[in-house]
Amino acid sequence: MLVLLPPSEGKAERTTGSPVDLGALSLPELTAARGRVLDELITLCSGDADKAREVLGLSEGLRGEVVRNAALRTAPARPAGEVYTGVLYDALGLGSLSPAARRRARASLLIFSGLWGAVRITDRIPAYRCSGGVKLPGIGALSAFWRGPLAEALPAAAGSGPVLDLRSSAYAAMWRPAGEPARRTVTVRVLQSRLVNGVEKRSVVSHFNKATKGRLVRGLLEAGPLPRTPAGLTGALRDLGWTVEESAPGQLDVVVTEV
């Protein structure tokens, strides 16, 4: 099974260590594209800081992110599973997984990124700021830029099992499974169920959507061997105690009462 995750805006920074080695990252088919985006981002952030903030969508209070981006070639790197923080990754708790679950995570999790395209949790990267919705001078929209390279690299990574797609819209636009992988892809929507005057009302969960998805993935990793089919994935989630409904082919609704 392959699990597609979004990155997080928040990232943990390391103060010592060796920098990123593009040639050592997984999915080597992306190396040239990664180098191009990295060079464009560094050039942008090494010039007019106000222009860089505007392009990256950063507030004045995040001016330091521009300085950090300018030094990405020499910045200390650490495993991506330690770099990404935030609600989803706090709920996923990679650092506290059992040894067996950690092995499954290394093999099955793929984190999408406006800068790197997609990385495994073991890939060593520096902290950076560049979302998938950014349009870089010289490259344009990153979501469009990555479609070609990812379309070449990811079908093989998808293997023959289910693809659990938990990405947000900006990152889903970078690669949409096609052909056989598309028929094995499952997306998840988190809905909150509440009783209003005795009538059930459901609404899409926003902020806590991330926490639910993190807990969902953690449960699958800890439960044992990962499902080998979309139907098996649905059954595994129900076995873990989730209320799961198929709202459309390839789309599951996870219904929660508490967030």
Side-chain angles (χ1 to χ4, degrees):
M1 186 171 83
L2 184 67
V3 182
L4 310 181
L5 297 175
S8 61
E9 291 296 333
K11 299 175 184 71
E13 189 172 11
R14 195 168 195 162
T15 57
T16 61
S18 56
V20 63
D21 177 0
L22 294 183
L25 299 179
S26 57
L27 302 174
E29 303 93 331
L30 303 180
T31 300
R34 287 167 173 154
R36 184 177 173 191
V37 178
L38 181 59
D39 288 342
E40 288 280 351
L41 182 60
I42 290 173
T43 298
L44 170 69
C45 293
S46 298
D48 186 329
D50 290 329
K51 176 184 177 182
R53 285 198 302 107
E54 181 181 357
V55 169
L56 297 175
L58 302 177
S59 66
E60 172 64 31
L62 294 175
R63 181 177 289 269
E65 299 284 353
V66 175
V67 176
R68 183 164 69 175
N69 279 351
L72 283 173
R73 282 284 185 184
T74 57
R78 66 196 300 182
E82 300 175 14
V83 170
Y84 293 107
T85 60
V87 176
L88 188 152
Y89 291 92
D90 286 347
L92 175 53
L94 290 170
S96 62
L97 289 173
S98 66
R102 196 171 299 121
R103 287 193 295 272
R104 296 182 192 109
R106 289 195 292 265
S108 64
L109 303 187
L110 198 62
I111 304 172
F112 276 65
S113 163
L115 174 54
W116 313 111
V119 293
R120 300 284 188 182
I121 63 171
T122 52
D123 286 328
R124 296 180 66 261
I125 59 173
Y128 66 96
R129 194 65 173 249
C130 184
S131 75
V134 163
K135 295 181 180 180
L136 287 177
I139 286 182
L142 289 175
S143 58
F145 171 82
W146 280 114
R147 284 176 196 149
L150 289 170
E152 292 292 327
L154 293 191
S160 59
V163 177
L164 177 57
D165 189 350
L166 302 179
R167 297 172 296 167
S168 52
S169 57
Y171 297 96
M174 291 169 57
W175 179 62
R176 300 190 186 281
E180 178 58 28
R183 290 186 282 275
R184 294 183 274 109
T185 297
V186 176
T187 61
V188 169
R189 182 174 62 169
V190 180
L191 301 177
Q192 182 182 11
S193 173
R194 295 176 297 163
L195 284 179
V196 179
N197 298 324
V199 178
E200 183 191 29
K201 300 289 185 180
R202 292 183 176 182
S203 58
V204 176
V205 176
S206 55
H207 176 73
F208 290 100
N209 163 63
K210 297 177 182 178
T212 299
K213 289 179 177 179
R215 291 194 291 268
L216 182 153
V217 174
R218 182 182 178 90
L220 288 170
L221 293 172
E222 290 284 11
L226 294 173
R228 296 185 177 182
T229 65
L233 173 59
T234 302
L237 292 175
R238 288 173 176 157
D239 289 344
L240 288 169
W242 297 99
T243 299
V244 179
E245 300 174 358
E246 186 175 4
S247 56
Q251 179 176 304
L252 298 180
D253 285 346
V254 174
V255 185
V256 299
T257 56
E258 297 180 359
V259 293

